[in-house]
Coordinates of all heavy atoms in Angstrom, one line a residue:
A21 N 3.5 -1.2 -7.5 CA 2.4 -1.0 -6.6 C 2.4 -2.0 -5.4 O 3.1 -3.1 -5.5 CB 1.1 -1.0 -7.2
I22 N 1.7 -1.7 -4.3 CA 1.5 -2.7 -3.2 C 0.0 -2.9 -3.3 O -0.9 -2.0 -3.2 CB 1.9 -2.0 -1.9 CG1 3.3 -1.7 -1.9 CG2 1.5 -3.0 -0.8 CD1 3.8 -0.9 -0.7
V23 N -0.4 -4.2 -3.4 CA -1.8 -4.7 -3.4 C -2.1 -5.6 -2.3 O -1.5 -6.7 -2.1 CB -2.1 -5.3 -4.8 CG1 -3.5 -5.8 -4.9 CG2 -1.8 -4.3 -5.9
F24 N -3.1 -5.2 -1.5 CA -3.6 -6.2 -0.4 C -4.9 -6.7 -0.8 O -5.8 -5.9 -1.2 CB -3.8 -5.4 0.9 CG -2.5 -5.2 1.6 CD1 -1.7 -4.1 1.4 CD2 -2.0 -6.1 2.5 CE1 -0.5 -3.9 2.0 CE2 -0.8 -5.9 3.3 CZ -0.1 -4.8 3.0
N25 N -5.2 -8.0 -1.0 CA -6.4 -8.5 -1.4 C -7.3 -8.8 -0.1 O -6.8 -8.6 1.0 CB -6.2 -9.9 -2.0 CG -5.6 -9.7 -3.4 OD1 -5.9 -8.9 -4.1 ND2 -4.6 -10.6 -3.7
S26 N -8.5 -9.0 -0.3 CA -9.5 -9.2 0.7 C -9.0 -10.3 1.7 O -8.4 -11.3 1.3 CB -10.8 -9.6 0.2 OG -11.8 -9.7 1.2
G27 N -9.1 -9.9 3.0 CA -8.6 -10.9 4.1 C -7.2 -10.7 4.5 O -6.7 -11.5 5.3
S28 N -6.4 -9.9 3.9 CA -5.1 -9.8 4.1 C -4.8 -8.6 5.1 O -5.8 -7.9 5.4 CB -4.3 -9.5 2.9 OG -4.6 -8.4 2.1
G29 N -3.6 -8.4 5.5 CA -3.2 -7.3 6.4 C -1.9 -7.5 7.1 O -1.2 -8.4 6.9
V30 N -1.7 -6.6 8.1 CA -0.4 -6.5 8.8 C -0.7 -6.3 10.3 O -1.4 -5.4 10.6 CB 0.6 -5.6 8.2 CG1 1.9 -5.6 9.2 CG2 0.9 -5.8 6.8
T31 N -0.2 -7.1 11.2 CA -0.3 -6.8 12.6 C 1.1 -6.8 13.2 O 2.0 -7.7 12.9 CB -1.1 -8.0 13.4 OG1 -2.4 -8.0 12.8 CG2 -1.1 -7.7 14.9
S32 N 1.5 -5.7 13.9 CA 2.9 -5.5 14.2 C 3.2 -5.4 15.8 O 4.3 -5.2 16.1 CB 3.4 -4.2 13.6 OG 2.8 -3.1 14.2
N33 N 2.1 -5.6 16.6 CA 2.3 -5.5 18.1 C 3.1 -4.4 18.5 O 4.1 -4.5 19.3 CB 3.0 -6.9 18.5 CG 2.0 -8.1 18.5 OD1 0.9 -7.8 18.2 ND2 2.6 -9.2 18.6
G34 N 2.8 -3.2 18.1 CA 3.5 -2.0 18.6 C 4.6 -1.5 17.7 O 5.2 -0.4 17.9
G35 N 5.0 -2.3 16.7 CA 5.9 -1.9 15.7 C 5.4 -1.0 14.7 O 4.1 -0.9 14.5
N36 N 6.2 -0.2 13.8 CA 5.7 0.7 12.9 C 5.4 -0.2 11.6 O 6.1 -1.1 11.3 CB 6.8 1.7 12.5 CG 7.0 2.6 13.7 OD1 6.1 2.9 14.5 ND2 8.3 3.0 13.8
I37 N 4.4 0.2 10.8 CA 4.0 -0.3 9.6 C 4.2 0.7 8.4 O 3.6 1.8 8.6 CB 2.7 -0.8 9.5 CG1 2.5 -2.0 10.6 CG2 2.2 -1.4 8.1 CD1 1.0 -2.3 10.9
T38 N 5.1 0.4 7.5 CA 5.3 1.4 6.4 C 5.1 0.8 5.1 O 5.7 -0.2 4.7 CB 6.8 1.9 6.5 OG1 7.1 2.4 7.8 CG2 7.1 2.9 5.5
L39 N 4.2 1.5 4.3 CA 4.0 1.0 2.9 C 4.5 2.2 2.1 O 3.9 3.3 2.2 CB 2.5 0.7 2.7 CG 1.8 -0.2 3.7 CD1 0.3 -0.3 3.3 CD2 2.4 -1.5 3.7
G40 N 5.4 1.8 1.2 CA 5.9 2.9 0.3 C 6.7 2.3 -0.8 O 6.5 1.2 -1.3
G41 N 7.7 3.0 -1.3 CA 8.6 2.5 -2.3 C 9.8 3.4 -2.6 O 10.1 4.2 -1.7
G42 N 10.5 3.1 -3.7 CA 11.6 3.9 -4.0 C 12.9 3.2 -3.8 O 13.0 2.1 -3.3
T43 N 14.0 3.7 -4.4 CA 15.2 3.1 -4.5 C 16.0 3.1 -3.2 O 17.0 2.3 -3.1 CB 16.1 3.8 -5.6 OG1 16.2 5.2 -5.2 CG2 15.5 3.7 -7.0
A44 N 15.6 3.9 -2.2 CA 16.3 3.8 -0.8 C 15.9 2.6 -0.2 O 16.6 2.3 0.9 CB 15.9 5.0 -0.1
L45 N 14.9 1.8 -0.5 CA 14.5 0.5 0.1 C 14.0 0.6 1.5 O 14.1 -0.3 2.3 CB 15.6 -0.4 -0.1 CG 16.0 -0.8 -1.5 CD1 17.2 -1.8 -1.5 CD2 14.8 -1.2 -2.5
N46 N 13.6 1.9 1.9 CA 13.1 2.0 3.3 C 11.7 2.5 3.4 O 11.1 2.8 4.5 CB 14.1 3.0 4.0 CG 14.0 4.4 3.5 OD1 13.3 4.7 2.6 ND2 15.0 5.2 3.9
G47 N 11.0 2.5 2.3 CA 9.6 2.8 2.3 C 9.2 4.3 2.3 O 8.1 4.7 2.3
T48 N 10.3 5.2 2.3 CA 10.1 6.6 2.4 C 9.6 7.2 1.0 O 9.2 8.3 0.9 CB 11.3 7.4 2.8 OG1 12.5 7.1 2.0 CG2 11.6 6.9 4.3
G49 N 9.9 6.4 -0.1 CA 9.5 7.0 -1.4 C 8.0 6.6 -1.6 O 7.3 6.2 -0.8
F50 N 7.6 6.5 -2.8 CA 6.2 6.1 -3.2 C 6.1 4.8 -3.9 O 6.8 4.5 -4.8 CB 5.6 7.2 -4.1 CG 5.4 8.6 -3.4 CD1 6.4 9.5 -3.3 CD2 4.2 8.8 -2.7 CE1 6.2 10.7 -2.6 CE2 4.0 9.9 -2.0 CZ 5.0 10.8 -1.9
A51 N 5.1 4.0 -3.6 CA 4.6 2.8 -4.4 C 3.8 3.6 -5.6 O 3.0 4.3 -5.3 CB 3.7 2.0 -3.6
V52 N 4.2 3.3 -6.9 CA 3.6 4.0 -8.0 C 2.9 3.0 -9.0 O 3.4 2.1 -9.4 CB 4.8 4.7 -8.8 CG1 4.2 5.5 -9.9 CG2 5.6 5.6 -7.9
A53 N 1.6 3.3 -9.1 CA 0.8 2.6 -10.0 C 1.4 2.7 -11.4 O 1.9 3.7 -11.9 CB -0.6 3.0 -10.0
D54 N 1.2 1.6 -12.3 CA 1.8 1.6 -13.6 C 0.7 1.9 -14.7 O 0.9 2.1 -15.9 CB 2.4 0.4 -14.0 CG 1.6 -0.8 -13.9 OD1 0.3 -0.8 -13.9 OD2 2.1 -2.0 -14.0
A55 N -0.6 2.1 -14.3 CA -1.7 2.3 -15.2 C -2.0 1.2 -16.2 O -2.8 1.3 -17.0 CB -1.5 3.6 -16.0
I56 N -1.3 0.0 -16.0 CA -1.6 -1.0 -16.8 C -2.1 -2.3 -15.9 O -3.4 -2.7 -16.0 CB -0.3 -1.7 -17.5 CG1 0.2 -0.5 -18.5 CG2 -0.6 -2.8 -18.3 CD1 1.5 -0.7 -19.0
A57 N -1.3 -2.8 -15.1 CA -1.7 -3.9 -14.1 C -2.4 -3.2 -12.8 O -3.4 -3.9 -12.3 CB -0.6 -4.7 -13.7
T58 N -2.0 -2.1 -12.5 CA -2.7 -1.4 -11.3 C -3.0 0.1 -11.6 O -2.2 0.7 -12.3 CB -1.7 -1.5 -10.0 OG1 -0.5 -0.8 -10.3 CG2 -1.4 -3.0 -9.6
L59 N -4.1 0.5 -11.0 CA -4.4 1.9 -11.1 C -4.2 2.7 -9.7 O -4.5 3.9 -9.8 CB -5.8 2.1 -11.6 CG -6.1 1.6 -13.0 CD1 -7.7 1.7 -13.2 CD2 -5.3 2.3 -14.0
Q60 N -3.7 2.0 -8.8 CA -3.5 2.5 -7.5 C -2.1 2.3 -7.0 O -1.6 1.1 -7.2 CB -4.4 2.0 -6.4 CG -5.9 2.2 -6.7 CD -6.5 1.1 -7.5 OE1 -6.0 -0.1 -7.5 NE2 -7.6 1.4 -8.3
G61 N -1.4 3.2 -6.4 CA -0.1 3.0 -5.8 C -0.2 2.0 -4.7 O 0.7 1.0 -4.6
I62 N -1.2 2.2 -3.8 CA -1.5 1.2 -2.8 C -2.9 0.9 -2.9 O -3.8 1.7 -2.8 CB -1.1 1.7 -1.4 CG1 0.4 2.1 -1.3 CG2 -1.4 0.8 -0.3 CD1 0.8 2.8 -0.1
S63 N -3.2 -0.5 -3.0 CA -4.6 -0.9 -3.0 C -4.9 -1.7 -1.8 O -4.3 -2.8 -1.5 CB -4.8 -1.7 -4.3 OG -6.2 -2.1 -4.3
L64 N -5.9 -1.3 -1.0 CA -6.3 -2.0 0.3 C -7.7 -2.5 0.2 O -8.6 -2.0 0.8 CB -6.1 -1.0 1.4 CG -4.9 -0.1 1.5 CD1 -5.1 1.1 2.5 CD2 -3.7 -1.0 1.9
T65 N -7.9 -3.6 -0.4 CA -9.2 -4.2 -0.6 C -9.6 -4.9 0.8 O -9.1 -6.1 1.0 CB -9.3 -5.2 -1.7 OG1 -8.9 -4.5 -2.9 CG2 -10.7 -5.8 -1.9
S66 N -10.3 -4.3 1.6 CA -10.7 -4.9 2.9 C -9.5 -5.4 3.7 O -9.7 -6.4 4.4 CB -11.8 -6.0 2.7 OG -12.9 -5.4 2.0
A67 N -8.4 -4.9 3.7 CA -7.3 -5.3 4.4 C -7.4 -4.7 5.8 O -7.9 -3.6 6.1 CB -6.0 -4.8 3.7
A68 N -6.8 -5.4 6.8 CA -6.8 -5.0 8.2 C -5.4 -4.7 8.7 O -4.5 -5.5 8.5 CB -7.4 -6.1 9.1
F69 N -5.2 -3.5 9.2 CA -3.9 -3.1 9.8 C -4.0 -2.9 11.3 O -4.9 -2.2 11.7 CB -3.4 -1.9 9.1 CG -3.1 -2.2 7.7 CD1 -4.1 -2.0 6.7 CD2 -1.9 -2.6 7.3 CE1 -3.9 -2.2 5.4 CE2 -1.6 -2.8 5.9 CZ -2.6 -2.5 4.9
S70 N -3.1 -3.4 12.1 CA -3.0 -3.1 13.5 C -1.6 -2.9 13.9 O -0.8 -3.8 13.8 CB -3.7 -4.2 14.3 OG -3.5 -4.0 15.7
A71 N -1.3 -1.6 14.4 CA 0.1 -1.3 14.8 C 0.2 -1.3 16.3 O 1.3 -1.2 16.9 CB 0.5 0.0 14.2
G72 N -0.9 -1.4 17.0 CA -0.9 -1.5 18.5 C 0.0 -0.4 19.1 O 0.7 -0.7 20.0
G73 N -0.2 0.9 18.7 CA 0.6 1.9 19.3 C 1.7 2.3 18.4 O 2.4 3.4 18.6
G74 N 2.1 1.5 17.4 CA 3.1 2.0 16.4 C 2.5 2.9 15.4 O 1.3 3.1 15.4
N75 N 3.3 3.4 14.5 CA 2.8 4.3 13.5 C 2.5 3.6 12.2 O 3.2 2.4 11.9 CB 3.9 5.3 13.1 CG 4.2 6.2 14.3 OD1 3.4 6.7 14.9 ND2 5.5 6.3 14.6
I76 N 1.5 4.0 11.4 CA 1.3 3.5 10.1 C 1.4 4.6 9.1 O 0.8 5.6 9.2 CB -0.2 2.9 10.1 CG1 -0.3 1.8 11.1 CG2 -0.5 2.5 8.6 CD1 -1.8 1.2 11.1
V77 N 2.4 4.4 8.1 CA 2.6 5.3 7.0 C 2.4 4.6 5.7 O 2.8 3.5 5.5 CB 4.1 5.8 7.1 CG1 4.4 6.7 6.0 CG2 4.4 6.4 8.5
M78 N 1.6 5.4 4.9 CA 1.4 4.8 3.5 C 1.7 5.9 2.5 O 1.1 7.0 2.5 CB -0.1 4.4 3.4 CG -0.6 3.3 4.3 SD -2.2 2.7 3.9 CE -2.4 1.7 5.4
N79 N 2.6 5.6 1.6 CA 3.1 6.6 0.6 C 2.7 5.9 -0.8 O 3.4 5.1 -1.4 CB 4.5 6.8 0.6 CG 4.9 7.5 1.9 OD1 4.2 8.4 2.5 ND2 6.0 7.0 2.5
G80 N 1.6 6.4 -1.5 CA 1.2 5.9 -2.6 C 1.0 6.9 -3.7 O 0.6 8.1 -3.3
L81 N 1.3 6.7 -5.0 CA 1.2 7.7 -6.0 C 0.4 7.1 -7.2 O 0.6 6.0 -7.6 CB 2.6 8.1 -6.5 CG 2.7 9.3 -7.4 CD1 2.2 10.5 -6.7 CD2 4.2 9.4 -7.8
S82 N -0.6 7.9 -7.7 CA -1.3 7.5 -8.9 C -0.5 7.6 -10.1 O 0.5 8.4 -10.1 CB -2.6 8.3 -8.9 OG -2.3 9.7 -9.2
P83 N -0.8 6.9 -11.1 CA 0.0 7.0 -12.5 C -0.5 8.2 -13.2 O -1.5 8.8 -13.1 CB -0.5 5.7 -13.1 CG -2.0 5.5 -12.8 CD -1.9 5.9 -11.3
A84 N 0.4 8.7 -14.1 CA 0.1 9.7 -15.2 C -0.6 8.9 -16.2 O 0.0 8.0 -16.8 CB 1.4 10.4 -15.6
T85 N -1.9 9.1 -16.5 CA -2.5 8.3 -17.5 C -3.6 9.1 -18.1 O -4.1 10.1 -17.6 CB -3.1 7.0 -16.9 OG1 -3.7 6.3 -17.8 CG2 -4.1 7.3 -15.8
T86 N -4.0 8.6 -19.3 CA -5.3 9.2 -19.9 C -6.4 8.1 -19.9 O -7.1 8.1 -20.9 CB -4.8 9.7 -21.4 OG1 -4.3 8.5 -22.1 CG2 -3.9 10.7 -21.3
A87 N -6.4 7.2 -19.0 CA -7.3 6.2 -19.0 C -8.8 6.8 -19.0 O -9.1 7.8 -18.5 CB -7.2 5.3 -17.7
T88 N -9.7 6.1 -19.8 CA -11.0 6.6 -19.9 C -11.9 6.4 -18.7 O -12.8 7.1 -18.4 CB -11.7 5.9 -21.1 OG1 -11.7 4.5 -20.9 CG2 -11.1 6.3 -22.4
N89 N -11.6 5.3 -18.0 CA -12.3 5.1 -16.7 C -11.4 5.4 -15.5 O -10.6 4.6 -15.0 CB -12.8 3.6 -16.6 CG -13.5 3.3 -15.2 OD1 -13.8 4.3 -14.5 ND2 -13.8 2.0 -15.0
A90 N -11.4 6.6 -15.2 CA -10.5 7.2 -14.1 C -11.1 7.1 -12.7 O -10.5 7.7 -11.8 CB -10.1 8.6 -14.5
S91 N -12.2 6.5 -12.4 CA -12.8 6.5 -11.2 C -12.1 5.7 -10.1 O -12.2 6.0 -8.9 CB -14.2 5.9 -11.3 OG -14.2 4.6 -11.6
N92 N -11.2 4.8 -10.6 CA -10.4 4.0 -9.6 C -9.0 4.4 -9.6 O -8.2 3.6 -8.9 CB -10.5 2.5 -9.8 CG -12.0 2.0 -9.5 OD1 -12.7 2.5 -8.7 ND2 -12.3 0.9 -10.1
I93 N -8.6 5.5 -10.1 CA -7.2 5.8 -10.1 C -6.9 6.6 -8.8 O -7.6 7.7 -8.5 CB -6.9 6.8 -11.4 CG1 -7.0 5.8 -12.6 CG2 -5.4 7.2 -11.3 CD1 -6.8 6.7 -13.9
A94 N -5.9 6.2 -8.0 CA -5.7 6.8 -6.8 C -4.3 6.4 -6.3 O -3.7 5.4 -6.7 CB -6.7 6.4 -5.8
G95 N -3.7 7.4 -5.5 CA -2.4 7.0 -4.8 C -2.6 6.0 -3.8 O -1.9 4.9 -3.8
I96 N -3.7 6.1 -3.0 CA -4.0 5.0 -2.0 C -5.6 4.8 -2.2 O -6.4 5.7 -2.1 CB -3.8 5.4 -0.6 CG1 -2.3 5.7 -0.5 CG2 -4.2 4.4 0.5 CD1 -1.9 6.3 0.9
F97 N -6.0 3.5 -2.4 CA -7.3 3.1 -2.7 C -7.8 2.1 -1.7 O -7.1 1.0 -1.5 CB -7.4 2.6 -4.1 CG -8.8 2.2 -4.5 CD1 -9.7 3.2 -4.9 CD2 -9.2 0.9 -4.7 CE1 -11.0 2.9 -5.3 CE2 -10.5 0.5 -5.0 CZ -11.3 1.5 -5.3

Side-chain angles (χ1 to χ4, degrees):
I22 297 171
V23 177
F24 282 88
N25 292 317
S26 182
S28 63
V30 178
T31 301
S32 67
N33 287 351
N36 298 325
I37 299 171
T38 303
L39 308 180
T43 57
L45 304 178
N46 60 8
T48 59
F50 289 89
V52 181
D54 63 10
I56 299 167
T58 59
L59 296 177
Q60 302 89 25
I62 300 173
S63 179
L64 310 169
T65 304
S66 300
F69 294 88
S70 175
N75 298 311
I76 298 176
V77 175
M78 297 184 188
N79 299 317
L81 188 64
S82 61
T85 183
T86 57
T88 56
N89 179 7
S91 64
N92 289 337
I93 295 175
I96 300 173
F97 180 76

